[in-house]
């Protein structure tokens, strides 16, 4: 299915959109309230509709429970990605929104956060963070007893899985140094934004993104919920001060970072006290991971061992600060110009659209070439032919407001024909905002205008709206394909192009 089955339903006249879908024999997938257009400080609903940042990360949003159920196949056990499987206290699922974006959804046990306001505020605070070193939090859901967090999905597993669970594959030394630096940088960034506490930092919280870059999970930045009985499931790795007074401090995070360094050095989960005994005994080589087969710099390893020893000091005040961690690890990066996926030994993330599986029409070919001029000419020539049947107006609807609205559309058509795309956006927006008529062609035309004005996120939104009005219209899928390509979501763009071609093939087969 296509993009419009996300939480993005039309903000103007949603009941009109539902009526049009029923005329075409389609029922709307979800029954959401319209998106708010107010300037409230509450996060927007349905993150995919909002502007992406420079890293392609959507802003923090509130998601509906129905969206997240659909994304995770009703929280199917097949979608669980928690390292402990369905035995984890708070399950993490992978999911895919209807705009094709992959997400990770953390589902807390029932009433883990009794106060929904506290949960929303805490999630909102973490959701303000945006950094390429983080698996960023992009949303949350509070619905009845449900408390869910939505984050960017990292497809290449955790540090713990790479180090502890794959006997025949090891992480080379350069990547281990990169992991140490990137996580130190992530913690330093969070600290600069007054998020100094990170709960239970360990190898399962370090994730690898689609390009193989290590990132720190945002979930550990949330305060422990009511059912969080302890800092760690294993007391041997718990900061000493937490055992004494039950409090997590910024120095506790440094201690936990020291355990990450031990994991990277040894490839095993060694209790800190045991590792410190080995370090004091000058048994550094015994500490090193045998899977490295000696392929590491002894000088660099000595620096990392010394840094781990400092982080694991019993007295919090004797541990280094985050700046020292970054400053110590940065000079050790000897392969800074080599992409992470190369060092990690994973396939390169696909950047080019795959070849469509079906023959394409002139519109499809123009979209595949990203030829916006050709798309413009096709939309001008097609005019409003595909809008037939999408609006049946009663006599009472032909008011002065109606005439004014049609005049705005007419002015938009003239501006569109004359390639005055900013004016066309303004005129078409006047037509859409009235909401008496719903035109998929207007949405498609305004989508192209946005593309030509370098606003691909707005273009994707309009293409999704066109599909909501006319669910089987190939043009709406084609326009989504172009917008997704502009957003560098190339695999999804290729999928959308194939879907559009399939709809055109179906049209031709039934002579529509």
């Amino acid at each position: 299915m296509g993009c419009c089955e996300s939480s993005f339903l039309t903000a103007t006249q949603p009941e009109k959109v539902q009526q049009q879908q029923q005329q075409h024999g389609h029922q709307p997938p979800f029954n959401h309230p319209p998106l708010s257009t107010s300037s409230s400080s509450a996060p927007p609903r349905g993150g995919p509709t909002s502007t992406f940042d420079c890293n392609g990360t959507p802003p923090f949003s509130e998601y509906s429970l129905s969206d997240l159920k659909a994304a995770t196949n009703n929280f199917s056990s097949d979608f669980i990605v928690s390292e402990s499987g369905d035995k984890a206290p708070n399950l993490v699922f992978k999911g895919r929104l209807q705009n094709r974006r992959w997400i990770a959804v953390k589902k807390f046990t029932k009433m883990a956060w009794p106060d929904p306001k506290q949960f929303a505020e805490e999630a909102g605070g973490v959701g303000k963070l945006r950094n390429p070193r983080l698996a960023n939090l992009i949303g949350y859901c509070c619905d009845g007893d449900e408390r869910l967090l939505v984050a960017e999905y990292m497809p290449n597993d955790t540090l713990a899985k790479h180090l502890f669970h794959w006997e025949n594959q090891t992480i080379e030394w350069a990547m281990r140094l990169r992991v140490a630096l990137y996580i130190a940088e992530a913690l330093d960034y969070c600290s600069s934004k007054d998020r100094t506490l990170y709960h239970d930092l360990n190898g399962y919280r370090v994730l690898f993104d689609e390009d193989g870059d290590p990132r720190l999970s945002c979930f550990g930045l949330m305060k422990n919920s009511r059912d969080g009985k302890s800092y760690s499931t294993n007391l041997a790795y718990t900061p000493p001060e937490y055992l004494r007074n039950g409090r997590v401090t910024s120095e506790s995070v440094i201690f936990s970072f020291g355990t990450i360094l031990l994991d990277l050095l040894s490839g095993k989960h060694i209790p800190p006290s045991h590792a410190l005994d080995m370090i004091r005994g000058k048994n550094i080589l015994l500490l090193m991971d045998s899977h490295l087969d000696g392929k590491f710099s002894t000088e660099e390893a000595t620096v990392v061992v010394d840094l781990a020893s400092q982080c694991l000091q019993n007295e919090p005040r004797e541990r280094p600060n985050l700046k020292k961690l970054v400053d110590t690890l940065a000079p050790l990066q000897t392969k800074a110009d080599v992409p992470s996926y190369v060092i990690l030994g994973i396939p390169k993330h696909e950047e080019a659209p795959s070849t469509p599986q079906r023959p394409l029409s002139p519109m499809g070919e123009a979209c595949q070439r990203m030829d916006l001029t050709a798309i413009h000419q096709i939309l001008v020539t097609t005019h409003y032919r595909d809008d037939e049947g999408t609006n049946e107006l009663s006599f009472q609807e032909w008011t002065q407001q109606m005439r004014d609205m049609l005049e705005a559309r007419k002015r938009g058509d003239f501006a569109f024909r004359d390639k005055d795309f900013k004016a066309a956006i303004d005129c078409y927006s006047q037509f859409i905002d009235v909401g008496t008529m719903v035109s998929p062609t207007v949405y498609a035309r305004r989508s192209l205008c946005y593309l030509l004005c370098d606003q691909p996120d707005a273009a994707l939104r309009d293409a999704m709206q066109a599909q909501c009005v006319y669910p089987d219209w190939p043009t709406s899928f084609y326009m989504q394909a172009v917008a997704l390509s502009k957003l560098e979501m190339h695999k999804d763009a290729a999928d959308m192009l194939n879907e559009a071609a399939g709809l055109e093939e179906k049209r031709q087969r039934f002579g529509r």
Side-chain angles (χ1 to χ4, degrees):
M1 301 299 292
C3 286
C4 89
E5 291 187 12
S6 72
S7 64
F8 189 85
L9 296 181
T10 180
T12 57
Q13 299 292 319
E15 66 281 357
K16 181 70 72 175
V17 170
Q18 184 173 343
Q19 177 184 346
Q20 309 308 331
Q21 289 176 317
Q22 291 169 349
Q23 288 173 358
H24 285 276
H26 289 261
Q27 294 296 325
F30 305 123
N31 184 24
H32 296 309
L35 289 169
S36 171
T37 56
S38 70
S39 58
S40 167
S41 60
R45 294 183 64 88
T49 68
S50 304
T51 304
F52 293 74
D53 70 9
C54 61
N55 296 307
T57 306
F60 183 76
S61 308
E62 181 181 1
Y63 286 80
S64 71
L65 182 60
S66 56
D67 279 349
L68 300 183
K69 282 184 175 180
T72 59
N73 194 22
N74 200 24
F75 300 107
S76 165
S77 59
D78 293 337
F79 284 61
I80 294 174
V81 292
S82 308
E83 294 290 349
S84 302
D86 56 7
K87 294 181 175 60
N90 299 308
L91 295 177
V92 179
F93 298 80
K94 71 175 179 180
R96 199 174 196 186
L97 298 170
Q98 293 296 343
N99 74 342
R100 327 297 270 193
R101 174 176 286 275
W102 286 99
I103 54 173
V105 181
K106 184 165 185 175
K107 190 174 191 290
F108 290 93
T109 53
K110 186 176 181 180
M111 293 304 291
W113 293 79
D115 184 351
K117 182 180 178 183
Q118 182 188 23
F119 179 76
E121 288 177 350
E122 180 68 12
V126 176
K128 291 178 182 177
L129 304 177
R130 282 294 177 271
N131 192 272
R133 300 289 183 257
L134 291 174
N136 295 286
L137 191 67
I138 62 175
Y140 78 104
C141 173
C142 266
D143 190 325
D145 290 340
E146 297 288 352
R147 305 287 184 266
L148 301 112
L149 297 175
V150 183
E152 295 178 291
Y153 178 65
M154 303 290 111
N156 283 306
D157 295 306
T158 65
L159 176 64
K161 183 167 285 188
H162 281 272
L163 284 176
F164 309 142
H165 303 307
W166 291 342
E167 285 294 325
N168 298 325
Q169 180 182 356
T170 189
I171 305 180
E172 71 170 87
W173 179 244
M175 176 52 73
R176 299 184 193 214
L177 293 175
R178 183 170 298 183
V179 169
L181 175 63
Y182 280 23
I183 301 309
E185 289 178 340
L187 293 170
D188 190 41
Y189 164 78
C190 294
S191 180
S192 74
K193 300 297 182 181
D194 295 325
R195 286 271 160 184
T196 58
L197 301 185
Y198 193 97
H199 297 267
D200 203 8
L201 176 61
N202 57 56
Y204 297 100
R205 302 280 199 179
V206 179
L207 313 166
F208 292 93
D209 66 18
E210 59 192 9
D211 295 315
D213 286 330
R215 299 215 209 174
L216 181 64
S217 169
C218 61
F219 293 148
L221 292 163
M222 293 283 290
K223 290 177 182 175
N224 274 0
S225 58
R226 188 173 67 175
D227 65 346
K229 299 295 191 299
S230 67
Y231 182 86
S232 170
T233 56
N234 192 324
L235 296 181
Y237 303 92
T238 303
E241 62 274 14
Y242 184 86
L243 296 176
R244 289 195 294 265
N245 56 35
R247 291 183 57 199
V248 180
T249 66
S250 55
E251 291 82 10
S252 306
V253 180
I254 302 296
F255 183 93
S256 295
F257 183 80
T259 68
I260 294 278
L261 293 181
L262 289 183
D263 292 347
L264 292 167
L265 287 163
S266 67
K268 296 182 284 291
H269 213 30
I270 301 178
S273 58
H274 181 50
L276 286 173
D277 287 341
M278 295 175 70
I279 293 170
R280 293 188 194 102
K282 308 295 183 183
N283 294 323
I284 292 178
L285 290 179
L286 290 177
L287 182 65
M288 300 301 295
D289 188 354
S290 60
H291 288 97
L292 286 169
D293 199 23
K295 296 176 182 176
F296 62 89
S297 162
T298 304
E299 291 78 9
E300 293 167 357
T302 301
V303 172
V304 178
V305 166
D306 182 59
L307 190 62
S309 177
Q310 295 175 49
C311 292
L312 296 170
Q313 291 301 304
N314 193 59
E315 289 298 325
R317 64 177 179 272
E318 295 177 2
R319 299 170 197 158
N321 58 30
L322 290 168
K323 185 177 184 305
K324 181 175 181 182
L325 298 184
V326 174
D327 290 346
T328 303
L329 293 165
L332 305 182
Q333 309 301 310
T334 56
K335 289 190 175 182
D337 296 333
V338 181
S340 291
Y341 70 87
V342 173
I343 304 177
L344 200 58
I346 61 173
K348 188 178 189 304
H349 175 58
E350 183 179 345
E351 295 183 351
S354 57
T355 303
Q357 299 165 2
R358 297 182 175 92
L360 297 177
S361 65
M363 178 66 164
E365 290 177 351
C367 291
Q368 186 183 30
R369 298 193 310 268
M370 301 291 289
D371 188 343
L372 302 185
T373 301
I375 297 171
H376 173 258
Q377 186 57 44
I378 291 169
L379 290 179
V380 168
T381 304
T382 306
H383 200 55
Y384 286 88
R385 184 181 65 203
D386 287 325
D387 279 18
E388 294 175 4
T390 60
N391 290 279
E392 295 180 6
L393 302 174
S394 66
F395 177 78
Q396 289 78 7
E397 288 180 289
W398 287 96
T399 61
Q400 181 62 46
Q401 184 184 49
M402 184 70 181
R403 289 192 289 272
D404 291 344
M405 181 187 64
L406 292 175
E407 181 61 31
R409 188 181 74 173
K410 185 177 180 180
R411 292 196 308 272
D413 290 340
F414 284 135
F416 185 78
R417 183 197 62 191
D418 296 337
K419 301 183 180 180
D420 186 353
F421 299 114
K422 289 185 178 179
I425 289 172
D426 291 340
C427 295
Y428 286 145
S429 297
Q430 292 174 34
F431 171 86
I432 289 169
D433 290 344
V434 172
T436 305
M437 288 181 65
V438 185
S439 168
T441 297
V442 167
Y443 280 120
R445 289 184 168 204
R446 193 173 71 167
S447 177
L448 179 63
C449 292
Y450 279 128
L451 285 169
L452 288 157
C453 293
D454 198 27
Q455 299 181 58
D457 52 335
L460 177 60
R461 182 179 63 216
D462 271 1
M464 291 162 62
Q465 286 279 36
Q467 186 198 341
C468 285
V469 179
Y470 191 169
D472 288 337
W473 192 35
T475 298
S476 65
F477 288 84
Y478 280 133
M479 295 308 300
Q480 289 176 54
V482 179
L484 287 165
S485 287
K486 286 286 188 180
L487 291 166
E488 297 188 358
M489 299 170 70
H490 300 296
K491 178 64 169 65
D492 297 323
D495 291 344
M496 199 62 66
L497 204 62
N498 277 316
E499 198 156 355
L503 288 171
E504 282 200 318
E505 190 178 276
K506 183 178 177 182
R507 270 188 160 198
Q508 292 167 4
R509 189 183 309 130
F510 292 101
R512 293 173 58 190

